[in-house]
Amino acid sequence: MHIAGAARKAFVAAITSLLATGGFAQPAGSQAALVARAASATVQAPAILLLQQQSGLTGTCDGDAFDVNTFISVDANASADVNVTAPGVGHIEEFTDQTGVNIGPYNGAFPHFLIRAFGGGLPPDASITITISTYSGSNLTGAVTNVSSLTFNCTTGAVLSAASDVAVEYYYPDWDNYFVTTSPDEIAALDTGAFGGVWTRTGQSFKVWTDSSTGARATCRFLTTVYAPKSAHFYTPYRVECAQLQIDPAWQYEGIAFYIALPDGNGLCAAGTVPLFRIYNNAMGGAPNHRYTTSITTLNEMIAAGWTFEGNGDTKAFACVPQ
């Protein structure tokens, strides 16, 4: 990453301090999340998330209809394009679910999202992938607001992977901490009041990639609890940062969270992407915290409040995400 002048010094000092003290960001599992300092009420984008916890997927290779466990947050205008695919077969079912009509305004866990029957059967232990693209309007009109997918073994029902391509931001006012996650289960838990409802959406989010097929980098996720009762999460697509924290006993490596791209040598993002900014709170409040945003307005507000940006000295870009 190219960082110039004072910005480079600030970035290096922040990283050195964090590595030395074991401090970076926080987890949903122990009350983590963030919200803008003066977050205004916003309407969240419609989303249908396929949750990792599933109970009705065993023995679904024969093509019969079955239900999946989802978390749904839609208004009366949302709709969804549902695709069911299998390796070597391709699409085995695709349909439009008019959630605005069939479900209506809904916000909460929904364990009976019907996957229609598909023609023919699949070999034992075949993997089935369900992908749901949520649209902001009826009949697949408007913008795609979220894409969620689930892959499972159709014999055992074991979930092999679950992902969403939108990172949602939360805030905990008492800690003045921010948290982002793409995990369908974490999003569902926080949206339904986990940890006493102390984490709330800021109204901000950004898109990510769910794999490296575009050339995006795997983004490591870490957790530290050395600042109890506060805890912190940290995300990085930079291999040096990831490697350093993996050997730091103060940090727990939680795996790959999502995929994002790196800016070029001039700090610029490729066509079709936008800059993602990373801002550090300089351990204000006694614990480290980072905020990730695509909003230049939010970036400037946080810098004015005493936070330090960690990115290119000219463009301030830390990474690049889908537009």
Side-chain angles (χ1 to χ4, degrees):
M1 167 185 342
H2 170 69
I3 307 168
R8 173 182 289 279
K9 293 179 181 178
F11 178 79
V12 172
I15 294 298
T16 302
S17 172
L18 287 172
L19 291 173
T21 60
F24 264 126
Q26 146 145 41
S30 64
Q31 291 188 13
L34 301 108
V35 160
R37 280 177 184 274
S40 58
T42 57
V43 178
Q44 64 190 45
I48 301 177
L49 296 171
L50 287 154
L51 301 180
Q52 192 148 8
Q53 288 88 16
Q54 297 283 337
S55 59
L57 304 181
T58 304
T60 54
C61 306
D62 57 7
D64 289 341
F66 59 94
D67 290 333
V68 293
N69 187 21
T70 60
F71 182 85
I72 297 176
S73 178
V74 303
D75 60 22
N77 294 319
S79 58
D81 182 30
V82 184
N83 285 274
V84 184
T85 60
V89 180
H91 284 79
I92 53 180
E93 177 62 28
E94 179 176 7
F95 63 94
T96 298
D97 179 80
Q98 298 293 55
T99 55
V101 175
N102 295 338
I103 297 175
Y106 197 93
N107 185 63
F110 191 81
H112 305 298
F113 193 98
L114 180 67
I115 300 300
R116 295 179 180 175
F118 53 87
L122 295 174
D125 296 312
S127 60
I128 296 178
T129 296
I130 305 164
T131 302
I132 299 180
S133 301
T134 314
Y135 287 75
S136 59
S138 60
N139 295 304
L140 307 187
T141 59
V144 176
T145 55
N146 187 71
V147 179
S148 181
S149 66
L150 176 81
T151 302
F152 66 97
N153 181 303
C154 66
T155 296
T156 65
V159 174
L160 305 177
S161 66
S164 171
D165 74 345
V166 172
V168 179
E169 184 184 58
Y170 294 85
Y171 181 63
Y172 184 4
D174 288 353
W175 289 2
D176 194 22
N177 272 15
Y178 295 87
F179 171 69
V180 293
T181 180
T182 59
S183 165
D185 292 332
E186 287 181 345
I187 292 170
L190 293 177
D191 283 348
T192 52
F195 312 115
V198 298
W199 292 99
T200 57
R201 290 194 184 215
T202 66
Q204 292 201 30
S205 63
F206 56 88
K207 292 184 178 181
V208 298
W209 289 279
T210 56
D211 57 43
S212 61
S213 60
T214 61
R217 291 280 190 93
T219 300
C220 300
R221 170 170 154 164
F222 294 91
L223 163 69
T224 183
T225 57
V226 299
Y227 298 93
K230 294 183 178 181
S231 57
H233 276 112
F234 180 69
Y235 299 88
T236 180
Y238 291 93
R239 289 164 184 162
V240 171
E241 286 184 346
C242 185
Q244 287 175 320
L245 286 189
Q246 286 193 42
I247 60 175
D248 187 330
W251 287 91
Q252 304 169 33
Y253 175 61
E254 295 187 316
I256 301 303
F258 42 76
Y259 292 78
I260 55 181
L262 303 187
D264 65 19
N266 296 315
L268 300 175
C269 291
T273 69
V274 295
L276 178 68
F277 307 109
R278 188 172 79 182
I279 327 154
Y280 171 51
N281 73 344
N282 295 308
M284 290 185 292
N289 188 222
H290 283 76
R291 190 173 187 189
Y292 304 82
T293 181
T294 56
S295 167
I296 189 68
T297 300
T298 296
L299 170 67
N300 290 332
E301 288 175 350
M302 303 307 286
I303 292 175
W307 291 51
T308 300
F309 80 86
E310 296 177 341
N312 180 273
D314 298 321
T315 66
K316 296 183 172 60
F318 155 72
C320 307
V321 296
Q323 194 166 30

